[in-house]
Amino acid sequence: MDVSVKGEYALRAVFELSCQGTPDPVKIARIAESQRIPQKFLELILAQLKQGGYLGSRRGADGGYFLARPADQITVGDILRQIEGTMQPSRRPFAKEPADSPFPELWDRVERALSCVVDRTTFADLVERWRQKRSQGVLNWQI
C-alpha cells in the first residue's frame, strides 16, 4: 500500500482534530502549523474530507474545521480511501512471476493484513496510544 503525501497530510489533519477532545472548530492555520502542513494544500484536503462527511466547518471569526463524527467512528482506512481512492496494492516486488509462484498469494495476504489494520484503527485509538506513549516519558520529581 502506497500512501501519498496528500494521504499522510489528511491523516495528520484528522489526528490533530481528534486530539482536540472538543467539538469546537479549529482554524486551518493552527492545524497547518501544528502538523507542519502547507496551508494551501491543507485547504484542499480538508475540503475533500468535508465532502466525504468526515469533517464539518463553520465560517466566521470563531470558525474552522471539526470532526463531523466522533473519533472512535473514523478509521485510518476511511480517510485513506477518501483521499487516495481505493487502496490498491503497491507495486509487487517481482514484476514477472512464473505462473506457479507462491509470491502472488503472499502479497495478497500482506495487503489484506494491512487493510485489516487500517480498517480497525480509529483515530480515537491513535490519540489514546499517542497520549500513553507521551505520558510514559514524563518523569515526576515530586518528593
Side-chain angles (χ1 to χ4, degrees):
M1 167 189 325
D2 289 327
V3 177
S4 67
V5 171
K6 186 177 180 182
E8 173 75 19
Y9 286 167
L11 294 173
R12 288 169 38 191
V14 174
F15 177 77
E16 181 69 23
L17 292 171
S18 298
C19 287
Q20 298 306 309
T22 173
D24 297 333
V26 178
K27 296 195 179 306
I28 293 175
R30 181 169 171 219
I31 299 168
E33 181 182 338
S34 177
Q35 292 296 319
R36 297 183 182 103
I37 302 170
Q39 188 168 330
K40 288 292 183 187
F41 196 27
L42 181 59
E43 290 171 5
L44 299 172
I45 293 168
L46 295 177
Q48 190 173 349
L49 292 171
K50 181 180 176 185
Q51 183 179 19
Y54 298 103
L55 301 182
S57 67
R58 187 180 334 155
R59 294 181 181 262
D62 294 330
Y65 281 87
F66 53 89
L67 296 179
R69 2 179 185 168
D72 65 354
Q73 294 178 16
I74 303 173
T75 68
V76 171
D78 291 335
I79 300 305
L80 288 176
R81 285 184 187 86
Q82 178 66 29
I83 297 298
E84 306 283 355
T86 59
M87 292 192 313
Q88 296 295 323
S90 56
R91 190 182 71 76
R92 303 271 170 104
F94 307 111
K96 295 184 180 183
E97 298 176 34
D100 63 345
S101 172
F103 294 105
E105 179 188 353
L106 170 69
W107 302 130
D108 287 341
R109 289 182 18 231
V110 167
E111 289 297 327
R112 283 194 305 272
L114 281 171
S115 290
C116 186
V117 170
V118 298
D119 288 337
R120 290 184 181 174
T121 303
T122 68
F123 281 88
D125 297 333
L126 290 175
V127 169
E128 179 63 26
R129 288 184 198 136
W130 179 73
R131 287 184 176 152
Q132 285 177 355
K133 184 177 179 181
R134 288 184 69 203
S135 70
Q136 290 174 354
V138 176
L139 297 175
N140 186 349
W141 294 98
Q142 290 181 339
I143 298 178

